[in-house]
């Protein structure tokens, strides 16, 4: 694990990332009239990240556990990004975007799926091969049959139990 | 090669003995990392999962009931109800010395696992109500008969918790001795990102089910990946860091197998699950009806334990804890553990925190 000096640098880095996140989220919250410039969009966050990382590099560290520190840095980096993404994904704007995307996909998929199914059904029918829906239908019937059997089994068990109870009662009765 | 690298390190001017030793240590690990990486790529081994011996007690359609026998030092067996769909239940018995099932059987609990199975297109008509009123009562009854016990503890994990809570609340004839909710959402007003994404303003569940018929595994995978987009990156980084350790690698392989094996939701199940639980939050409101009976959680009167995980983003503690206020039990307790939704029940952290807590709570009441 990193020494105290290394830890301080990571704390500094973390603070930089969090400040960057806040700025980034502030930007997300402000209405944008013109087209979004990706560079301008990411700059507040990236500038803070770069500044923090530059400071870590220039201040240096005497610890030979460079790999451990590097791993810790990456963990912090991923955690910071995770936090940023989680905050962004927890907005109604994001939910609306994925909802719209999904709806678009469903609108496109629905007729395509239907057409493909009809086509396959017709082709298989022509070849005398049972189609997917026919196989599914048979499987569904088997499931229903199993349920009916369970019902019969239950009733049979109930009848047997009653018969056993009756037999026990008869055995106890004086002749 | 190792020697060459080490010689290079010793030639670096001004390198302290401590730094030299660390360098050598790191080089050794890196070589092991490369060796294990090459093995993973060139000769991938199928991980062995589910090592604890078990017996199939009953099967109903795709669902199975398994018994993991123990020395049975506790009279009351345990019925474990996991999630339906999403993933396979072997995560609870992932590998030897890292298995919840193994831990509980070693503690003397006969363990009955409900494996809902992998549903096909023919099961798209299956609803939450069917699971609660047809499948679960039957499997629970078979477990009770098989055990010969007069009472049984019920443990619901993840979605299995609301399902089993509905079952216990609507089946007073079932002799539930104790009830445990482990990371199971009860109040869906606090269910986090999924709650927001499935909000009826943004997600049309009818259109989804009517178009696709069921929820394919890839869609489920996409949803869960989206919930934690950095998860793969983090897992990859941790793998690289621990790749020198063969135990870590075998654990990773087993977990990775499980994490990539998604299971489809039957369409009607998903429709009812999303609408009545996520969108309308009927369970905690007491408005949910199963098999013609209103699900009243206050009818759960046996001892209740709810376990939340602090970093759970699937069932955050805020949606797990409300069970405690809703049940009618006098003996009720909520505990919050470190970790996330999976690490609550699988892995080293679980063996230290969650498993002993659950086992000791049950032991005192079994």
């Amino acid at each position: 694990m990193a020494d105290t000096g290394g830890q301080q640098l990571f704390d500094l880095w973390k603070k930089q990332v969090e400040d960057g996140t806040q700025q980034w989220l502030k930007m997300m919250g402000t209405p944008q009239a013109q087209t979004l410039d990706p560079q301008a969009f990411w700059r507040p966050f990236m500038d803070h990240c770069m500044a923090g990382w530059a400071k870590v590099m220039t201040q240096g560290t005497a610890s030979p556990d460079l790999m451990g520190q590097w791993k810790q840095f990456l963990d912090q980096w991923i955690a910071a990004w995770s936090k940023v993404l989680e905050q962004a994904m927890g907005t109604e704007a994001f939910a609306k975007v994925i909802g719209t995307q999904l709806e678009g996909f469903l609108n496109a998929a629905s007729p395509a799926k239907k057409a493909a199914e009809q086509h396959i059904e017709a082709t298989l029918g022509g070849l005398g091969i049972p189609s997917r829906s026919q196989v599914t239908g048979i499987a569904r019937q088997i499931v229903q049959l199993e349920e009916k059997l369970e019902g019969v089994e239950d009733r049979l068990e109930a009848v047997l139990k009653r018969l056993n109870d009756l037999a026990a009662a008869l055995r106890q009765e004086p002749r | 090669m190792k020697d060459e690298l080490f010689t290079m390190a010793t030639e670096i001017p001004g390198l302290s003995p401590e730094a030299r030793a660390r360098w050598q240590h790191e080089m050794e690990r890196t070589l092991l990392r490369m060796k294990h990486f090459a093995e993973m790529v060139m000769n991938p081994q199928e991980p062995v999962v589910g090592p604890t011996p078990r017996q199939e007690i009953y099967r109903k359609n795709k669902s199975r009931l398994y018994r993991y026998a123990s020395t049975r030092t506790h009279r009351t067996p345990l019925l474990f109800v996991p999630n339906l769909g999403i993933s396979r239940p072997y995560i609870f018995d992932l590998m030897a010395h890292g298995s919840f099932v193994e831990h509980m059987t070693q503690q003397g609990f006969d363990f009955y696992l409900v494996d809902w199975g992998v549903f096909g297109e023919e099961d798209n008509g299956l609803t939450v109500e069917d699971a609660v009123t047809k499948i679960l009562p039957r499997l629970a009854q078979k477990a009770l008969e098989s055990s010969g016990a007069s009472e049984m503890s019920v443990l619901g994990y993840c979605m299995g918790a609301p399902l089993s809570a509905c079952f216990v609340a609507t089946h007073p004839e079932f002799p539930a001795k104790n009830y445990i909710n482990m990371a199971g959402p009860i109040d869906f007003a606090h269910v986090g990102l999924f709650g927001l994404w499935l909000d009826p303003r943004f997600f049309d569940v009818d259109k989804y089910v009517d178009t696709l018929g069921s929820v394919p595994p890839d869609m489920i995978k996409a949803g869960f990946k989206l919930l934690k987009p950095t998860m793969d990156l983090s897992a990859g980084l941790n793998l690289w860091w621990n790749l020198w350790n063969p135990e870590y690698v075998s654990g990773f392989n087993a977990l990775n197998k499980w994490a990539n094996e998604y299971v489809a939701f039957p369409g009607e199940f998903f429709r009812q699950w999303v609408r009545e639980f996520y969108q309308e939050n009927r369970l905690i409101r007491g408005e949910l009806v199963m098999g013609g009976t209103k699900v009243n959680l206050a009818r759960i009167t046996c001892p209740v334990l709810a376990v939340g995980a602090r970093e759970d983003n699937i069932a955050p503690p805020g949606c797990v804890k409300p069970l405690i206020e809703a049940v009618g039990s006098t003996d009720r307790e909520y505990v919050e553990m470190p970790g996330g939704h999976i690490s609550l029940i699988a892995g080293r952290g679980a063996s230290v925190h969650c498993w002993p807590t659950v086992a000791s709570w049950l032991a005192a009441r079994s």
Side-chain angles (χ1 to χ4, degrees):
Chain A
M1 280 294 109
D3 54 16
T4 324
Q7 188 58 50
Q8 280 171 353
L9 290 179
F10 283 121
D11 290 343
L12 175 75
W13 153 255
K14 203 173 172 185
K15 192 178 174 305
Q16 295 283 334
V17 171
E18 276 166 6
D19 289 349
T21 309
Q22 287 311 316
Q23 291 209 22
W24 187 76
L25 286 169
K26 256 186 223 163
M27 263 193 79
M28 273 200 72
T30 52
Q32 308 217 347
Q34 67 245 56
T35 323
L36 204 64
D37 170 14
Q39 274 191 322
F41 186 73
W42 290 106
R43 196 169 295 129
F45 181 74
M46 292 312 291
D47 284 354
H48 272 267
C49 291
M50 293 312 291
W53 180 231
K55 213 167 185 179
V56 170
M57 293 300 284
T58 50
Q59 283 182 12
T61 169
S63 168
D65 188 15
L66 277 174
M67 294 300 277
Q69 289 187 352
W70 176 243
K71 164 76 167 58
Q72 206 182 349
F73 164 73
L74 288 176
D75 283 340
Q76 301 264 5
W77 185 78
I78 292 171
W81 269 107
S82 183
K83 204 171 159 187
V84 170
L85 291 170
E86 201 179 308
Q87 286 181 1
M89 291 187 310
T91 58
E92 289 197 354
F94 183 82
K96 198 174 174 183
V97 168
I98 54 166
T100 312
Q101 292 280 333
L102 189 65
E103 190 149 344
F105 164 74
L106 294 175
N107 285 339
S110 182
K113 192 170 177 265
K114 209 171 179 179
E117 277 170 3
Q118 279 172 353
H119 179 70
I120 292 168
E121 194 101 352
T123 310
L124 291 172
L127 292 167
I129 299 169
S131 69
R132 188 181 172 86
S133 62
Q134 284 171 322
V135 174
T136 306
I138 290 170
R140 201 173 292 131
Q141 282 177 14
I142 293 171
V143 173
Q144 286 165 357
L145 200 65
E146 193 190 55
E147 275 185 16
K148 278 185 184 165
L149 276 174
E150 278 171 0
V152 172
E153 196 183 87
D154 285 349
R155 264 173 274 168
L156 199 64
E157 271 177 23
V159 170
L160 277 172
K161 192 180 174 295
R162 284 189 69 180
L163 283 173
N164 284 337
D165 290 348
L166 273 172
L170 282 172
R171 273 197 297 271
Q172 280 173 359
E173 238 174 57
R175 295 194 176 184
Chain B
M1 186 180 171
K2 193 175 87 181
D3 291 342
E4 279 169 28
L5 286 168
F6 182 61
T7 313
M8 276 166 61
T10 54
E11 284 167 3
I12 297 171
L15 203 64
S16 69
E18 190 201 356
R20 205 170 289 154
R22 278 181 188 256
W23 173 267
Q24 188 187 7
H25 181 66
E26 198 49 50
M27 279 305 114
E28 282 168 2
R29 285 197 168 180
T30 302
L31 286 173
L32 281 170
R33 283 184 186 118
M34 287 160 71
K35 179 177 172 270
H36 291 151
F37 178 72
E39 278 169 6
M40 280 175 85
V41 174
M42 309 294 282
N43 186 23
Q45 302 284 320
E46 183 67 19
V48 179
V49 291
T52 311
R54 67 182 184 181
Q55 182 194 359
E56 186 184 301
I57 300 295
Y58 190 73
R59 55 170 66 190
K60 178 175 168 58
N61 189 8
K62 310 295 184 321
S63 307
R64 305 283 180 270
L65 175 71
Y66 293 106
R67 176 182 179 231
Y68 296 84
S70 71
T71 50
R72 205 161 172 180
T73 47
H74 301 289
R75 212 181 329 159
T76 313
L78 177 64
L79 178 69
F80 187 93
V81 185
N83 43 296
L84 184 151
I86 307 173
S87 60
R88 303 289 291 123
Y90 61 76
I91 183 71
F92 311 113
D93 186 29
L94 194 63
M95 49 198 300
H97 315 301
S99 147
F100 179 58
V101 172
E102 184 191 64
H103 179 84
M104 295 305 280
T105 50
Q106 279 174 355
Q107 297 298 310
F109 294 97
D110 255 16
F111 195 100
Y112 288 86
L113 172 76
V114 171
D115 179 354
W116 294 102
V118 180
F119 291 101
E121 214 174 296
E122 66 276 15
D123 304 301
N124 277 348
L126 183 98
T127 60
V128 175
E129 195 168 344
D130 291 334
V132 170
T133 62
K134 289 181 184 169
I135 304 176
L136 205 45
R138 195 162 190 91
L139 298 186
Q141 188 55 39
K142 295 290 171 189
L144 198 64
E145 283 169 20
S146 150
S147 69
S150 56
E151 292 171 305
M152 184 163 257
S153 298
V154 179
L155 194 165
Y157 171 74
C158 182
M159 181 203 287
L163 298 185
S164 55
C166 289
F167 161 66
V168 174
T170 52
H171 291 74
E173 73 283 359
F174 183 76
K177 174 83 169 158
N178 304 291
Y179 180 75
I180 301 175
N181 168 8
M182 212 187 259
I186 298 294
D187 184 354
F188 286 76
H190 307 288
V191 82
L193 288 181
F194 274 153
L196 177 67
W197 298 346
L198 294 173
D199 187 292
R201 287 174 295 160
F202 314 120
F203 183 74
D204 184 349
V205 68
D206 287 330
K207 188 170 190 172
Y208 188 94
V209 175
D210 293 342
T211 306
L212 298 178
S214 66
V215 187
D218 283 345
M219 282 280 190
I220 296 174
K221 185 176 179 176
F224 279 90
K225 295 276 179 198
L226 197 58
L227 198 60
K228 192 90 179 167
T230 54
M231 179 66 91
D232 284 347
L233 194 60
S234 193
L237 178 64
N238 285 327
L239 173 66
W240 166 76
W241 184 246
N242 294 291
L243 202 53
W244 60 272
N245 181 353
E247 271 180 43
Y248 184 92
V249 175
S250 61
F252 173 87
N253 283 336
L255 192 64
N256 196 44
K257 174 187 160 74
W258 173 82
N260 286 294
E261 206 174 326
Y262 286 88
V263 178
F265 269 125
E268 291 308 318
F269 184 95
F270 185 70
R271 196 196 301 267
Q272 194 179 6
W273 175 244
V274 168
R275 176 168 299 137
E276 297 186 8
F277 288 81
Y278 273 93
Q279 295 184 340
E280 296 172 356
N281 200 11
R282 288 191 191 183
L283 177 60
I284 198 72
R285 288 182 179 162
E287 293 165 2
L288 191 68
V289 177
M290 294 274 154
T293 310
K294 207 170 237 189
V295 181
N296 180 5
L297 292 172
R299 291 184 71 179
I300 301 177
T301 51
C302 61
V304 170
L305 172 69
V307 186
R310 242 164 256 152
E311 285 121 54
D312 194 338
N313 54 358
I314 296 168
C319 70
V320 178
K321 197 177 177 183
L323 176 72
I324 295 300
E325 293 305 316
V327 293
S329 324
T330 48
D331 180 1
R332 50 191 170 176
E333 192 182 341
Y334 172 75
V335 286
E336 212 163 284
M337 304 267 167
H341 194 69
I342 305 302
S343 57
L344 178 73
I345 198 154
R348 202 165 10 148
S351 68
V352 176
H353 303 289
C354 185
W355 304 348
T357 307
V358 170
S360 62
W361 186 88
L362 265 181
R365 294 163 178 82
S366 297

